[in-house]
Amino acid sequence: QVQLVESGGGLVQAGDSLRLSCAASGRTFSSYAMGWFRQAPGKEREFVAAIRRIGGSIYYADSVKGRFTISRDNAKKTVYLQIDSLKPEDTAVYYCAAAVLYTIKLDTPTSYAYWGQGTQVTVSS
């Protein structure tokens, strides 16, 4: 069982940066691949980034490559999402999630077993 709590969202201006954090409980954090998703009003939840366990392979949605950076600190049981050069279209609730063990495909919500409550990011133009 893993519980996830996101933080770091807020109201920012276009061009600003944010670092989102996702703190996990449980003793097996390092066993899980972790992902970030976002959901804007009226839209489906979309994949943003994922990182395999023990700082392995990293994946990004094409729409965020070059601006978003995912990382993890297994000792702190935390996964991060650094967002640079924020745009109004980045406005959404951002969720972190822990993947089903041994899952291959990390860019779909159905691959994730545990979800945080989300943190709101609002970017003004």
Side-chain angles (χ1 to χ4, degrees), residues 76-122:
K76 294 183 177 179
K77 299 180 183 179
T78 301
V79 61
Y80 304 98
L81 185 68
Q82 176 70 36
I83 310 175
D84 298 320
S85 302
L86 277 153
K87 303 176 181 180
E89 51 263 44
D90 295 321
T91 295
V93 178
Y94 284 72
Y95 298 90
C96 73
V100 173
L101 291 179
Y102 312 118
T103 193
I104 300 299
K105 189 171 173 62
L106 290 176
D107 60 353
T108 176
T110 56
S111 293
Y112 292 82
Y114 304 103
W115 292 84
Q117 83 290 347
T119 186
Q120 176 72 47
V121 173
T122 303

Side-chain angles (χ1 to χ4, degrees), residues 22-79:
C22 173
S25 64
R27 295 178 294 176
T28 58
F29 173 75
S30 61
S31 299
Y32 293 92
M34 299 296 296
W36 285 96
F37 288 74
R38 66 184 180 185
Q39 188 166 18
K43 295 187 177 181
E44 293 186 352
R45 192 166 298 189
E46 67 169 346
F47 170 74
V48 172
I51 183 169
R52 294 211 179 268
R53 60 181 184 156
I54 318 179
S57 299
I58 289 174
Y59 310 90
Y60 295 102
D62 288 343
S63 59
V64 306
K65 283 181 181 177
R67 297 191 299 118
F68 287 33
T69 304
I70 188 173
S71 61
R72 67 188 296 163
D73 185 332
N74 288 332
K76 294 183 177 179
K77 299 180 183 179
T78 301
V79 61

